Amino acid sequence: MAAESPAQTVQRLFPLLAEGDSAGAAALFADSVDFSIPHPPGIPWVPEVDSADGMRTFFDLLQTHVQAKEFDLRQVISDGDDVVLVGRMVSEVRKTGRDIDTAFALHTTVRDGRITRYHLYEDTYAVAQAYFGD
C-alpha cells in the first residue's frame, strides 16, 4: 500500500473534528507542533500550543466555545510537505449566539506522516465582533 500524501493526512483532520473527536484529531499531530492563530486578546479558545496534547486542548476548547455550522473547503494546494487549504467557514460563538463568517487559509506541514505545522489565517475582526459584540 502506498504511503498517504501530506494532503491526505491533513484532510483526515476535518471529519474527525466534525465528529467531535479531539483525541483522534490530535493523534494526527507530531510531538512538536508549530502552532499559530493570530487572534484578538481575550478569545478563550486559542491557547498556547506546541504539541499534539496542546492540539487536543485547542480542539476541546474550540468545541466548548464555538459550534461549527458550515465548512466549505475550496482549494487544497500541496507542495512537498506543505499543504495549504483555502475555504470559508461559519461558526456560532456559544456565549453570544453570533456567527463568525470568514474566509480562511490553513498552512500545514506534514513530516513522517504527522502534522508539524498548523497556521490558521482568518478574519480576526469577524472573530472579535462575534465574541465581544459592538
Side-chain angles (χ1 to χ4, degrees):
M1 176 168 34
E4 185 174 68
S5 74
Q8 290 170 321
T9 298
V10 173
Q11 289 182 77
R12 284 197 299 133
L13 179 64
F14 304 109
L16 294 167
L17 294 175
E19 295 167 5
D21 185 357
S22 295
L28 296 175
F29 287 82
D31 292 337
S32 179
V33 177
D34 178 7
F35 175 89
S36 176
I37 301 178
H39 61 283
I43 298 298
W45 59 84
V46 185
E48 294 292 322
V49 173
D50 64 1
S51 65
D53 286 340
M55 291 304 299
R56 181 175 183 172
T57 298
F58 165 63
F59 295 138
D60 285 341
L61 285 169
L62 192 61
Q63 290 172 19
T64 298
H65 293 282
V66 177
Q67 172 65 48
K69 294 172 85 173
E70 295 178 39
F71 182 80
D72 180 19
L73 182 58
R74 295 182 178 165
Q75 190 172 16
V76 178
I77 304 159
S78 186
D79 182 18
D81 293 341
D82 289 308
V83 180
V84 175
L85 302 106
V86 179
R88 177 180 163 266
M89 58 186 164
V90 179
S91 305
E92 180 181 313
V93 176
R94 295 182 195 275
K95 175 183 170 185
T96 65
R98 294 184 183 121
D99 285 348
I100 303 168
D101 186 342
T102 182
F104 72 89
L106 175 62
H107 179 196
T108 63
T109 302
V110 177
R111 291 206 172 93
D112 300 321
R114 295 282 184 249
I115 302 169
T116 61
R117 177 195 329 244
Y118 186 97
H119 289 196
L120 178 68
Y121 305 96
E122 62 185 342
D123 182 347
T124 56
Y125 181 75
V127 173
Q129 285 297 103
Y131 187 72
F132 298 112
D134 299 328

